[in-house]
Amino acid sequence: MTDNKKILITGGCGFIGHHFVEHIFLNTDWNIIIIDKLSYASNGFERLRDTGCLNDDRIKVFTNDLINPISEGLKKELGNDINYIVHMAAETHVDNSISNPKLFLDNNINSTYHMLEYARELKNLEIFFYFSTDEVFGPALGDKLYKEWERHKPTNPYSASKSAAEQICISYENTYKIPLMIVNVMNAFGERQHVEKFIPLCIKKILNDEKIFIHSYPDKKKSGTRFYIHGRNIASAVLFLINNGEIGEKYNISGEKEVSNLEMAKLVAKFMGKELNYEMVDFHSDRPGHDLRYGLDGSKLFNMGFKLPLNFEESLEKTVKWTLLDENKKWLDY
């Protein structure tokens, strides 16, 4: 693919962001600009450094907190010839949003507003890609899978901030003709994920022979579930939509397979060749911001011809075994 495009990725030092940066780097010849505030979740430039693409001339990284407007000096460095903006930067941890909702409302809403204001100035902008979450729809009870344009019912400050930002994006598309696409994504996993997330947390606890607490229903017999998708599959889907998606549309990027929390922990233990020590716990009754199930209907994207490059169990096994290599165990400690 040779067309000398320029793509701006916010949050490119984060977990999903760095997988997307690497995917664009390997599968296009585009120039890549990254804006990241380097919060605790980014671990500095270490993810990009680990991928080996950090020092290439095609990549520029700017450290900037998008809670503030983009300064005139930064605008000059970014240039006015950007073709694509993929706005991934966000505070994402539900527990943290419950303990400090203001941080999430300030960051996730203001960062989106400031990127949209910047986008209004770009004459060559072809797509403003907003990266949202399955959680904006709220819990998916039973077998429910939400389609793209169904109503939102967020149940914690994190998902509320993402829902609000989605609506602001849509208003800018309507009012200022921003060329918008929105994706809603399910639970991501893969290499270099922060250890606060469930899969690397399981790896660390099993490695240390510690008990894992499984988020379950009040009867403590059935655990909550998630649809999991590898970061590289998400990256592949976003590039597919840049090339094939329609302006003004929303697309669900759904996981291949629904997996219960207990099943996931057992799979991780199996791939590690170790016994699982676990206890079923009812977080939900005490902390109602934690939903037991989310669900997205991904048929719209798949019917366009998108195929997941890697299946779930292969992806998970590779992730677990990669993390256990001596040179990669550092990702369990940050």
Side-chain angles (χ1 to χ4, degrees), residues 41-244:
S42 71
N43 199 23
F45 297 140
E46 193 60 26
R47 287 195 181 95
L48 294 177
R49 199 175 283 121
D50 230 28
T51 63
C53 61
L54 179 61
N55 296 321
D56 192 274
D57 290 343
R58 286 170 50 206
I59 295 182
K60 290 183 179 177
V61 186
F62 296 94
T63 304
N64 186 70
D65 190 344
L66 292 171
I67 197 171
N68 303 307
I70 295 178
S71 67
E72 291 305 314
L74 181 54
K75 287 178 186 177
K76 185 174 181 181
E77 291 298 321
L78 297 175
N80 59 8
D81 57 345
I82 289 168
N83 303 105
Y84 310 118
I85 292 175
V86 178
H87 180 38
M88 294 185 171
E91 295 285 344
T92 63
H93 198 263
V94 171
D95 280 340
N96 294 345
S97 84
I98 291 170
S99 60
N100 187 1
K102 186 176 186 299
L103 173 70
F104 281 68
L105 298 177
D106 287 348
N107 274 272
N108 295 348
I109 293 173
N110 283 332
S111 69
T112 305
Y113 162 65
H114 291 139
M115 287 307 301
L116 287 165
E117 282 292 295
Y118 171 64
R120 289 175 62 189
E121 302 175 18
L122 300 175
K123 303 302 182 190
N124 297 327
L125 187 66
E126 297 174 42
I127 303 174
F128 184 103
F129 221 109
Y130 182 67
F131 218 80
S132 192
T133 172
D134 54 354
E135 297 190 33
V136 297
F137 298 104
L141 302 178
D143 297 324
K144 175 67 179 175
L145 298 175
Y146 287 104
K147 292 185 180 294
E148 283 79 358
W149 291 102
E150 290 195 58
R151 94 291 180 273
H152 285 191
K153 193 176 181 181
T155 56
N156 56 62
Y158 161 62
S159 54
S161 70
K162 296 295 285 184
S163 175
E166 272 198 46
Q167 308 316 312
I168 293 166
C169 286
I170 292 168
S171 78
Y172 267 64
E173 178 199 13
N174 179 65
T175 306
Y176 305 111
K177 308 308 175 192
I178 296 294
L180 178 68
M181 278 189 216
I182 295 174
V183 289
N184 296 84
V185 179
M186 307 204 73
N187 273 52
F189 73 96
E191 298 80 9
R192 308 178 192 91
Q193 191 169 28
H194 196 286
V195 75
E196 70 189 3
K197 303 297 185 180
F198 186 64
I199 291 173
L201 185 65
C202 283
I203 296 171
K204 185 171 185 175
K205 285 185 174 291
I206 294 167
L207 200 59
N208 295 330
D209 297 317
E210 296 176 24
K211 182 183 287 186
I212 293 175
F213 295 97
I214 304 292
H215 187 195
S216 63
Y217 286 82
D219 63 8
K220 298 184 183 179
K221 293 179 180 177
K222 179 183 177 184
S223 64
T225 64
R226 293 290 185 267
F227 287 82
Y228 285 90
I229 182 168
H230 195 284
R232 283 196 300 278
N233 286 341
I234 294 172
S236 179
V238 174
L239 181 56
F240 177 87
L241 286 169
I242 287 174
N243 291 318
N244 299 284

Side-chain angles (χ1 to χ4, degrees), residues 1-7 28-32 58 81-84 124 126:
M1 191 182 298
T2 306
D3 47 16
N4 295 316
K5 298 286 189 179
K6 185 184 280 189
I7 185 168
T28 75
D29 66 350
W30 301 348
N31 291 312
I32 301 168
R58 286 170 50 206
D81 57 345
I82 289 168
N83 303 105
Y84 310 118
N124 297 327
E126 297 174 42

